[in-house]
Amino acid sequence: MLFRARFWTPAFLAWMVAGVSLVQAEIRETSVWWLPRNVSNFGHEIDFIFYVILWLTGVTAVLVFSTMIYFIVKYRARAGVGAIHSHGNNTLEVVWTTIPVFIFLALAIYGNEMWTRMRMETPPNDALQLAVVGEQFGWNLRYPGPDGKLAKMDAQKVGKDNPFGVDPNDPDGRDDFTTYNDMVIPVGKAVRLHLGSKDVIHSFYVPEFRLYQDMVPGRVYDFVWFKTDAIGQFQLACNQLCGQGHYKMFGKLGVVTPEEFAAWAQGKAPTATTAASRPVPPDASVANR
Ligand code: CUA
């Protein structure tokens, strides 16, 4: 009892809240109490629909609850006042059923149209092709070299030593280079992801891109694409509980100017397509193992 009383003191709660915000603020540039900053093309519409739904449900909740409280007080049990039985009102029923039906239909049609543009339409041809393969517990990234083409990924070939499931003789892959937990992309350029997993279900998640895609082993997802509109440093986090090390499955994600991207890519050596060549991250012993 004594412990409990102390545990929930306002001071303790305030301390906890402050602690959580400090830790979060380390990671995030903007307020931790609201949506993170958005830097992707689809994010604006996703945020728009979020606010539309928030206002609709917020206003409805206030109206419904205030009416309910008013009625509860007004028609409370009182001595000498008998109860009345009401069958309801058909006109009212029809009205308050029809309005939400149209609201839900509008939301569904708008959301479906957005989803189609995000995931069903073909990504732009000039998009940067980028392979991202999750493993316990980190991110393998594969960039096309000067030819702009990635080696073809085959989910059946993915294995311990071949995270991207590529054919070592694939000519498109000769100049590809790989990184580990280090994703850099040029601002303003469409990026088409080729997502896969080496072992269990992981999830590609960047809150600032409003982008989230599960990666089930045995599949390659090549339909996810986006474009950024601001530079910044973010975090590529895994959003699917994938094992004991899930909490530390995150990589650096930099959105940089095209010049900075070119300079960064320049220094990267082509990777032989076979497996044994996966680079060991320099900080592996510290951060990722
Ligand atoms: Cu991978 Cu959580």
Side-chain angles (χ1 to χ4, degrees), residues 134-139 197 199-203 215 237-243 245-250:
E135 68 175 30
Q136 288 173 319
F137 297 96
W139 301 95
S197 168
D199 35 43
V200 299
I201 304 177
H202 301 282
S203 181
M215 302 132 93
C238 175
N239 203 20
Q240 229 9 291
L241 186 56
C242 54
H246 163 69
Y247 72 95
K248 60 182 173 182
M249 183 169 169
F250 52 82

